[in-house]
Each structure stands twice: as structure tokens, then as C-alpha cells.
Amino acid sequence: MSFRRSLSVSALSQLIAFLLSFASVIVVSRLLTPEEIGIFSVSVAVLGMAHILREFGVGQYLVQAHRIGAQERRAAFTVSIITAWFLAALLFIVRHPLAAFYGHDGVAEVLALLAINFLIMPFGTPLLALMRRDLQFGRIAIGHISGAVANASVTIGAALMGESYLSMAWGAIASHIVKASVLNMMRPGEIFMMPTLKGIGGVLRFGSVASLASVVKELGSSAPDLIFGRTLGFSEVALYSRAVGLKRMLLQRLVGLVRGVHFPTFARSLREGGDAAKLYGQTMNYLVAVVAPVLAFMAIMAGPLILFLFGDQWTRSVPIASMLCLYTVLTTPYMLYSASLTAAGKVTLVLKVEFMAQGVLVLVLMSSIWLPLEQVAALLILAFSVEALVAQVALRNAFGLTFSDLLRAIWPACRLIPFSVLGPLLVMLFAGHLAVDEMSRFVVLLFGSILFVAGWLLGVFYVGHPIADEVRLLYRKIRRQ
């Protein structure tokens, strides 16, 4: 399957999953209080590190390894099932001490339910990695969509039935059961096999470093919920979570989509002798051209976006969301650095970068001991800047990609930002203050979005970005239809 077709199939599945998740978030945000959502957010933050450890780098190992046979699959499954089931038991045992630490029994209830997912995951995760290695993105899409449908349906249904913060846990369990079942139906007989100790050494050597790097990154991702839950309270956790949610939904879906295709194709290209620096620059020119303008748009339209979708109770999240979206623009050229280095087998370098970047992030978040939420969010510019700096150094050391080389590669993409944001800026300047009810907010969002898309397309053709060729190709296909 070609890169374009793989990306298209993955994009369709991610779009469907995003819409289902987005609808679920909107409904649940109106059914549950900020404190109820905060309880689940803190519980998921605790589980974040466990989710990384339960795989122990098995998925990454299966994608980047030069050869995968029956023995390697058995070894990978063995490592996956041992770590996942051990973590399930550990989480169940420590759920009450963790709940006591955060001062709410609901944390223990959520952890008890979500521990079930760890019993299910070994029967789906290795299969997903094998499909990525073989570039079977059509089958992967079916699995993702099936899981997303189950998650949204069960979460909303449970919330309507009064399950409170447990509704999202029930949705997650349903998603994993359905997804694992679908994957095994499409590739039967490749996971349900006898465990073995033979050959697990290679999996453990790669996985120990890869999983440690992922744990450090997950610590940084979960740190706001973990730290704010202790220093500021559950309501502040929910306010920050809703603010970062705009950016996170974009990055998890759009960047996750590209990363899912880039990782296996980049690994295959390197095995075939491709130029890593050139390949990385070309990919980032496309990714930055989409992600950076959208982040800038969301920073400008954060007010009507959050208040229209989630309600007036989230007003304090608006300025925080704007800051986080703008800060993230700095790191857009490095959003695939870890996937690229891992595909090249340089997981130790990824680990060093994550230690430095996430260490600075945690230090900034710890200032919440003395500062309110808004001031802590403003200081996060330091963490984002350090992340961009250390990632650039890693790419230079691994691939010989200097900052000037990367800037030349992505400069056409950077030039699209002013074209994209001019229209939304004018809308907010002249009509943003009128958005005091849901209808007026919708109108502001509608006109801002139309002008954003028009400005972005104008920039694509004026700058001569390679995406212009893709737009022409799509137009010709539509005309033929």
C-alpha cells in the first residue's frame, strides 16, 4: 500500500474515531461535573505510566526489527502478557492507597475497572504492531473504528444511567474487548500461542530502553493531572484538562495518524538505505503545514470553541487553551522525532531527550505549589522551548539534520500560518465580543473556520507548497466522480 493510500485510509478511520470521541466528550461534559471528570482524569494519569510498561516496547520492537518469524512473535507475546497481567494485579492491589493519596474513593473504583483492560491488551497490541509492520492499514482502520464505536456508545449510555466518573471506564473496557476481538478475527492464530522464554532477550533489551523512554514521556503527559490533583484540587485538574483537550484531540488524531504511517514506512525506508535527514524534512514539511496553522487557529478561537462545545462553566480554560496551542507551535517540527529515532533503533537517544524535556516540564508544574493555575500555564513556554531544543540536538546527532536544514525543509509550511490566521483574527476582532450565547458563538466559529480554510488554501497555492499538488489531485478525482 502506498504512503498516500495508507495515510488516506488511516485518516478516514481517525476522523471517524475523532468524531465519535468528540461527540462523547461533548455529551459527557454536559452530563458530569468538573469534579467527576477530574476524578477520572487523575485515575487515567496514574494508569498512563502503567499503559506504557504493560507493552514493554513490544509494538515498537515488532515494527522495527529486521526479521519477524514465529519465534519472535511468541517471544513478543510472552513479554507482553507477563508485563500486562503483572501490572493489572499491581494496580488492583494499590488502588486504595492511591485513592487515599488523592482523598477520594472514586479513584480506587476507576482503577479497579481499568485494570481489566490490562488483562485484554496482550491479545490485541502485538497484532496491531504486526499489521503496522506489514502496512495493513485497512485492517487497522477497522479495528480502530470498532473500538471507537464501542467506547462512545458505552460511555454515553453509562453516563445517562448515572454511572458518573465510572462511565468513561466502562467505555474504555468495551473498546478494548471489541478491538481485540476484531483484530483476532482478521489475523487468527498469530497471538493465541504458547508462551516461550526462547528469544525474549532481544525483546527485553530493546523494550527496556524504549519503554523507559515512553514512561518518561508519559510522566510528562500525566504530570499536570498528577501534580495539580495534589496541589490545586480536582476542579483545577478538570479546567486544565479541558484547556489542553483542544490541542490534545488535534495532536492525538492528526499527528497520531501521520505517526502511525510514518513509523513503519520510515523504518522500511531506512532498511532499504534511504536518507534519514531528507525523509524527515520532507515529512515534516507536510505535517507542519497542517498542524501549525490549525494550532494557531485554535489559539485565536479558543473562547467560542470551548464555550460553545462545553458550556460557560469552562470559561477559565479559555486563556490557558490559547497559550498551550501557541506554545505547541514551537514543537511542531519535532513531533515525529521520537518515532523516527526509534525506527532507526536509536532508542537510547530518545530516552536522553525525554529525560531532559520532561524534567523541565515537571519543575515548571511544581510551581503550582505557590502559583495559581493561570500563571503556571504561562510558565510552560520554558518547557516547550527546551523540548524543541533537545529534540533538534538529537536529530542532528542521529541523522546529521541541522536546524538550518530543517528550517529550509519546513519554511514553505511556516509561511502558511499568516495566511491561515488573518481571517479568524478579523472575525474575533469585530465579532468575538458578541459571542455571548450558543448561536452567536456558532456563527463566529462558522465564519472563522471558513476564512481559515480559505486563507490556508490561498497560502498553499501562493507559496507553492507541495500540498497544492495533492489538492489538485483530489480535485481531479472529484471531477471524475
Side-chain angles (χ1 to χ4, degrees):
M1 184 180 288
S2 67
F3 186 87
R4 180 185 288 111
R5 181 171 176 79
S6 299
L7 199 60
S8 300
V9 172
S10 298
L12 180 60
S13 67
Q14 291 286 357
L15 176 61
I16 295 172
F18 168 75
L19 293 175
L20 290 169
S21 175
F22 201 44
S24 176
V25 168
I26 292 173
V27 174
V28 170
S29 294
R30 294 178 179 272
L31 292 175
L32 305 183
T33 65
E35 182 174 0
E36 289 175 310
I37 295 176
I39 292 169
F40 182 78
S41 297
V42 170
S43 303
V44 170
V46 172
L47 281 173
M49 292 169 284
H51 272 298
I52 301 299
L53 286 173
R54 55 87 182 162
E55 186 181 338
F56 208 72
V58 167
Q60 295 170 320
Y61 168 80
L62 290 173
V63 172
Q64 63 83 46
H66 287 279
R67 178 189 176 276
I68 293 294
Q71 187 61 50
E72 287 79 12
R73 291 199 301 271
R74 287 184 64 192
F77 174 68
T78 302
V79 173
S80 181
I81 200 168
I82 290 174
T83 54
W85 287 12
F86 170 77
L87 287 169
L90 181 63
L91 284 170
F92 190 80
I93 292 170
V94 303
R95 69 191 189 283
H96 288 301
L98 287 171
F101 179 78
Y102 286 104
H104 200 291
D105 291 338
V107 174
E109 296 179 75
V110 174
L111 291 177
L113 281 179
L114 292 182
I116 298 173
N117 284 337
F118 288 79
L119 303 178
I120 304 168
M121 289 175 183
F123 301 100
T125 301
L127 273 178
L128 197 61
L130 291 172
M131 290 180 181
R132 287 197 179 101
R133 179 183 177 88
D134 296 336
L135 307 184
Q136 295 178 331
F137 293 102
R139 294 185 174 186
I140 294 173
I142 294 173
H144 280 317
I145 294 171
S146 301
V149 170
N151 195 337
S153 302
V154 174
T155 296
I156 294 173
L160 290 171
M161 294 172 63
E163 285 294 292
S164 185
Y165 45 80
L166 294 180
S167 58
M168 292 167 281
W170 287 117
I173 293 173
S175 174
H176 282 89
I177 291 175
V178 170
K179 189 173 182 179
S181 300
V182 170
L183 293 177
N184 277 277
M185 285 190 290
M186 289 187 291
R187 289 186 66 151
E190 295 195 48
I191 288 301
F192 287 93
M193 56 184 70
M194 288 297 295
T196 180
L197 296 180
K198 184 179 180 180
I200 67 171
V203 182
L204 292 175
R205 283 191 296 273
F206 180 91
S208 59
V209 180
S211 59
L212 181 56
S214 299
V215 165
V216 174
K217 186 174 183 64
E218 184 61 32
L219 276 171
S221 178
S222 303
D225 291 341
L226 295 172
I227 294 174
F228 293 160
R230 182 66 175 172
T231 61
L232 299 177
F234 289 121
S235 294
E236 302 294 278
V237 170
L239 289 168
Y240 181 86
S241 176
R242 189 60 65 233
V244 78
L246 286 179
K247 179 196 75 170
R248 187 170 291 167
M249 282 187 288
L250 169 70
L251 299 186
Q252 284 182 340
R253 300 301 178 185
L254 181 56
V255 179
L257 158 68
V258 178
R259 183 184 291 115
V261 178
H262 171 77
F263 180 40
T265 54
F266 193 79
R268 173 175 289 187
S269 297
L270 293 183
R271 288 195 295 266
E272 296 173 353
D275 185 337
K278 183 178 180 181
L279 289 170
Y280 186 87
Q282 290 174 341
T283 302
M284 294 313 303
N285 188 30
Y286 282 90
L287 185 59
V288 173
V290 177
V291 176
V294 173
L295 284 170
F297 167 77
M298 291 196 302
I300 294 168
M301 307 294 289
L305 266 171
I306 289 178
L307 299 180
F308 173 74
L309 294 173
F310 307 124
D312 291 331
Q313 62 179 330
W314 303 99
T315 300
R316 283 182 59 202
S317 298
V318 172
I320 300 172
S322 293
M323 286 187 289
L324 293 176
C325 288
L326 288 176
Y327 295 167
T328 308
V329 173
L330 294 174
T331 61
T332 51
Y334 307 103
M335 288 181 171
L336 297 180
Y337 97 89
S338 61
S340 302
L341 294 178
T342 302
K346 300 183 181 297
V347 288
T348 302
L349 192 54
V350 176
L351 177 60
K352 293 178 181 178
V353 172
E354 294 301 334
F355 262 122
M356 289 185 281
Q358 306 309 327
V360 173
L361 173 63
V362 170
L363 289 176
V364 172
L365 295 174
M366 289 298 293
S367 66
S368 61
I369 297 174
W370 308 283
L371 302 177
L373 178 62
E374 289 79 2
Q375 293 183 21
V376 176
L379 289 176
L380 286 173
I381 183 66
L382 300 174
F384 282 89
S385 300
V386 170
E387 180 182 353
L389 176 62
V390 295
Q392 174 57 54
V393 172
L395 289 171
R396 184 193 63 194
N397 293 340
F399 303 142
L401 181 63
T402 65
F403 176 73
S404 59
D405 292 335
L406 180 59
L407 184 60
R408 279 194 297 271
I410 66 171
W411 183 244
C414 296
R415 293 176 63 190
L416 300 180
I417 298 176
F419 287 92
S420 304
V421 300
L422 179 59
L425 277 172
L426 292 174
V427 170
M428 290 299 294
L429 179 63
F430 293 108
H433 65 285
L434 300 176
V436 294
D437 55 41
E438 291 191 355
M439 180 57 66
S440 59
R441 289 165 186 162
F442 173 76
V443 172
V444 168
L445 286 173
L446 178 62
F447 280 98
S449 301
I450 292 172
L451 292 176
F452 164 75
V453 174
W456 182 80
L457 286 172
L458 175 63
V460 165
F461 286 98
Y462 180 82
V463 170
H465 194 279
I467 289 180
D469 295 331
E470 303 297 328
V471 175
R472 294 188 187 98
L473 178 62
L474 177 61
Y475 175 71
R476 286 196 294 269
K477 287 184 177 180
I478 293 175
R479 285 195 62 183
R480 284 197 298 269
Q481 293 298 323

